[in-house]
Amino acid sequence: MKGIVLAGGNGTRLLPLTLVGSKHLAPVYDKPMVYYPLSVLMLAGINDVLIVTRPAEIELFRRLFGSGSRLGMRIGYAAQAEPRGIADAFRVGADHIRGEDCALVLGDNLFHGAELPALLRSTTQGLRGCVLFGHQVADPRRFGVAEVDARGRLLSVEEKPEHPRSHLAIPGLYFFDDTVTDIARGLHPSARGELEITDVLRAYLMAGRAHLVRLGSGVTWLDAGTHESLLAAGRFVRDVQHHQGTRLGCVEEVALRMGFINADACYELGAEMSDSPYGQYLMASARAHRLSRTPATSPEE
């Protein structure tokens, strides 16, 4: 399965912060925002990822991740010359997908929860059609909205409706089978002048191949696309990390736990940042991983 991180757009809701660069490189507490959505794809077992961003910012992302080999991954880059909607990522990334199943995550979305890795793995297994997620929110008008029946079956999807049919918002994480590029290729711009992800979802829904999975209370979803939500996301990451002693969105540690890299490689990545708490955490994680893999010996031995 291939992955796409959509990190384009002009970030107008975050002006003037975004006058000097991509919002997806803005700090969310102790790491760039893009670390968090990338780590979600990694937790799903995806190690071949395309980052779609503005032409002027490709080199910034390349400086951050390079080819991805240090994380045991393949990371490529593609330019979206102007914001043309979420579904445009499938046109820009068609060569990357090349007829395989894929996952798309928005670069300003954060997900966290003990249930998340298992949920992602089950989603990728035997994927047929598309899978979208639903999360209960107080004000769904800022998001795509899903309507379901009493049995939880998906009935409709709407993009930022003035009068939502439910409070079930659709987070920026989607899984699609290999027909998504053909569907995206046939789309026409909406009244907003964009290729809407909801039109892709409707195409699958009309074919009876769209499935909604609810994100329960064990999974937190944050959209860091405004000043207030960016601050809230940073506070959330800080509080969880301080209380639990683990780091959210730590791509190096995720690569280690997913088996993309070994403990030695993780330790080296931490050593390069050893003056920072982040680097020290990576080194400690690598040491703990080594110990967990070392067979215990009896006192007699």
Side-chain angles (χ1 to χ4, degrees):
M1 177 174 284
K2 300 293 185 70
I4 296 177
V5 178
L6 182 55
N10 295 322
T12 53
R13 292 185 298 168
L14 282 173
L15 287 170
L17 288 176
T18 46
L19 288 174
V20 292
S22 169
K23 72 175 179 181
H24 306 96
L25 296 174
V28 177
Y29 189 53
D30 60 347
K31 59 190 77 69
M33 184 189 296
V34 70
Y35 274 43
Y36 299 92
L38 178 61
S39 70
V40 170
L41 296 183
M42 295 168 69
L43 286 170
I46 299 171
N47 63 0
D48 192 346
V49 174
L50 181 72
I51 297 177
V52 177
T53 188
R54 296 189 295 186
E57 288 153 1
I58 283 181
E59 289 308 313
L60 296 176
F61 285 94
R62 197 188 305 275
R63 180 179 177 184
L64 192 61
F65 297 121
S67 68
S69 60
R70 286 156 59 85
L71 294 173
M73 301 177 66
R74 179 183 299 170
I75 299 179
Y77 307 89
Q80 188 183 46
E82 58 186 50
R84 292 187 294 265
I86 295 173
D88 185 55
F90 301 116
R91 293 184 176 185
V92 174
D95 288 342
H96 169 69
I97 298 171
R98 290 184 181 177
E100 294 190 36
D101 296 346
C102 74
L104 171 68
V105 64
L106 303 189
D108 58 2
N109 276 222
L110 287 73
F111 299 85
H112 173 68
E115 301 172 5
L116 185 61
L119 180 64
L120 295 172
R121 287 194 295 271
S122 65
T123 299
T124 60
Q125 294 171 1
L127 178 66
R128 295 180 180 177
C130 79
V131 173
L132 59 151
F133 298 91
H135 194 275
Q136 199 79 9
V137 297
D139 182 8
R141 290 174 297 176
R142 296 192 298 116
F143 309 103
V145 175
E147 179 190 14
V148 297
D149 64 16
R151 298 175 61 183
R153 292 177 300 189
L154 186 63
L155 298 177
S156 69
V157 292
E158 299 177 280
E159 181 63 28
K160 299 179 181 177
E162 183 63 29
H163 304 288
R165 298 180 183 180
S166 80
H167 285 263
L168 204 57
I170 303 172
L173 176 64
Y174 319 87
F175 290 81
F176 298 96
D177 68 10
D178 58 1
T179 63
V180 68
T181 52
D182 292 333
I183 292 172
R185 200 175 291 118
L187 294 181
H188 299 285
S190 67
R192 302 194 306 161
E194 297 188 358
L195 300 177
E196 305 287 1
I197 189 67
T198 46
D199 287 339
V200 176
L201 300 176
R202 284 193 194 101
Y204 278 99
L205 180 59
M206 290 176 63
R209 299 169 61 235
H211 312 280
L212 183 135
V213 175
R214 284 180 178 263
L215 296 179
S217 58
V219 176
T220 298
W221 165 52
L222 299 171
D223 174 351
T226 67
H227 294 105
E228 286 299 318
S229 60
L230 180 62
L231 179 61
R235 287 173 170 167
F236 174 80
V237 171
R238 177 201 61 190
D239 291 346
V240 171
Q241 292 186 171
H242 285 192
H243 292 155
Q244 297 184 0
T246 59
R247 295 200 176 235
L248 280 62
C250 182
V251 293
E252 299 88 351
E253 184 182 34
V254 174
L256 174 63
R257 293 185 174 179
M258 295 301 298
F260 297 171
I261 60 175
N262 60 28
D264 291 341
C266 182
Y267 187 91
E268 290 176 8
L269 292 172
E272 294 175 6
M273 300 181 278
S274 60
D275 287 340
S276 73
Y278 188 87
Q280 294 159 16
Y281 173 82
L282 284 179
M283 295 164 70
S285 293
R287 286 193 293 264
H289 189 83
R290 284 197 199 103
L291 289 174
S292 70
R293 293 292 191 268
T294 301
T297 57
S298 66
E300 290 79 7
E301 295 175 327

